[in-house]
């Protein structure tokens, strides 16, 4: 029995799609036969009806409504695959014709149906499958199609991989997709990252000038516990502590080196947005470089994260050693430098020299860490042996989600033990918690 490898049918109608698409139908409920029919495809109608040869529509349970039939057709255009049938005497293998191909009107209609009946996160998966598994790259080549595509980090990765193939007429639409994803990531990360940096730097200095809004309550109470008066049941402080109001500029140098090999697509999108957020903070001097076998300094593009991300060229080889060597030249004050290497550690260059460079950086006082992934996926693929070598140097290697990045960054800037940070991330991952 051929299976339709598609997301399971939803239990209710999706949230409202953009205005350009039809409003979704009302809530749908599915009986057991309908649900399995939508999951497995049209070929199983007879089996689900008990093997008697009757179609699902002829009996009570399992008959598809008009909306369900449209949903089934949208999935079938992408996922229906007929395996070789031993009973047909030919042993041949055929695929059901989707009828979409390069026909832009049909692609647009198909996108409309997909967005009409499925939740946004499911739509993103279906679109990505259409591009990667069925080769419907026409989705990226026409403004009409791009305008209907649901933005996602994975889709941005695909756009970056194929950006040199996208025709000029569709480039503006492609940039709008990237901008939508960037804005969503910034909304998710910016506030927490800014608070983390301020928490690590601004709140580490005190001033003698009294100012109630800048009162350091924790330190003031702690230093005056000796003045607790039992009869009044209160503390009478003899000294107050206030945070400094001024913001010193360029206290730390943060260098982000991003591996732009194809497997790191989602991570470099998040990494690029992270770099642009950090660059907006006056307390940090931020550098962002991308590398494969060459190194590209993207620091001038930090003003606009969309331009920065479009400066990334996914694919090609990987020379981590060359990138680390370039980043060494960006270090002016080692003890006030944080180096974040974003890579899966599959080194195509001189691994021995790369390890030596990392050792030199750590010994000079640079705080260095390797993020094996910065995305919402699970455990990444990476070179475990090289990760062990770096860990022995004091360069922890771990993956984390964007939500976990701010506390990691704050702890690093505060001078906490990076190995301890890595172990905490591993413990959270083992417990199935967000890392």
């Amino acid at each position: 029995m051929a299976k339709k490898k598609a997301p399971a049918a939803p239990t209710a109608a999706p949230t409202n799609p953009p205005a350009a698409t039809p409003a979704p139908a009302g809530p749908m409920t599915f009986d057991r036969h309908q649900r399995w029919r939508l999951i497995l495809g049209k070929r199983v109608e007879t089996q689900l009806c008990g093997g008697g040869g009757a179609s699902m529509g002829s009996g009570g349970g399992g008959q598809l409504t008009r909306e369900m039939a449209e949903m089934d057709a949208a999935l079938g255009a992408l996922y229906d695959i007929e395996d070789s049938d031993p009973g047909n005497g030919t042993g041949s293998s055929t695929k059901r014709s989707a009828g979409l191909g390069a026909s832009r009107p049909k692609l647009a209609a198909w996108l409309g149906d997909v967005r009409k009946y499925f939740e946004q996160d499911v739509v993103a998966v279906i679109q990505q499958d259409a591009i990667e598994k069925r080769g419907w790259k026409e989705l990226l080549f026409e403004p009409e199609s791009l305008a209907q595509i649901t933005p996602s980090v994975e889709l941005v990765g695909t756009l970056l991989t194929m950006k040199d193939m996208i025709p000029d007429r569709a480039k503006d639409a492609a940039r709008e997709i990237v901008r939508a994803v960037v804005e969503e990531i910034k909304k998710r990360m910016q506030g927490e990252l800014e608070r983390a940096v301020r928490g690590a730097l601004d709140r580490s200095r005190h001033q003698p000038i009294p100012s109630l809004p800048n009162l350091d309550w924790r330190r003031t109470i702690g230093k005056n516990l000796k003045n607790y008066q039992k009869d009044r049941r209160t503390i009478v402080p003899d000294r107050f502590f206030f945070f400094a109001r001024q913001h010193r500029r360029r206290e730390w140098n943060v260098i982000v080196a991003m591996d732009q090999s194809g497997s790191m697509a989602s991570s470099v999108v998040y990494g690029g947005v992270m770099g642009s957020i950090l660059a907006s903070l006056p307390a940090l001097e931020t550098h962002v470089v991308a590398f494969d076998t060459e190194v590209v300094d993207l620091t001038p593009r930090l003003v606009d994260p969309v331009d920065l991300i479009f400066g990334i060229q996914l694919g090609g080889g990987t020379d981590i050693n060359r990138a680390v060597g370039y980043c060494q030249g960006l270090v002016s004050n080692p003890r006030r430098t944080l180096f974040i290497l974003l890579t899966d550690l599959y080194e195509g260059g001189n691994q021995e020299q790369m390890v030596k460079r990392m050792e030199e950086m750590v010994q000079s006082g640079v705080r260095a860490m390797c993020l094996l992934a910065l995305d919402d996926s699970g455990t990444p693929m990476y070179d475990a042996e090289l990760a062990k070598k770096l860990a022995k140097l004091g360069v922890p290697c771990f993956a984390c989600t964007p939500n976990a990045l701010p506390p990691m960054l704050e702890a690093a800037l505060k001078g906490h033990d990076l190995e301890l940070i890595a172990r905490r991330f591993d413990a959270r991952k083992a417990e199935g918690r967000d890392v």
Side-chain angles (χ1 to χ4, degrees), residues 99-110 138 142 145:
L100 293 179
S103 174
R104 293 191 294 276
K106 289 187 177 181
L107 271 176
W110 175 78
E138 294 85 357
E142 296 297 334
S145 299

Side-chain angles (χ1 to χ4, degrees), residues 46-63:
T46 302
Q47 294 93 318
L48 287 177
C49 286
S55 69
M56 294 184 67
S58 64
Q63 183 174 2

Side-chain angles (χ1 to χ4, degrees), residues 17 21 55 66 77 124 139 173 177 180 361:
T21 59
S55 69
R66 179 182 61 82
L139 289 170
I177 287 178
M361 292 179 74

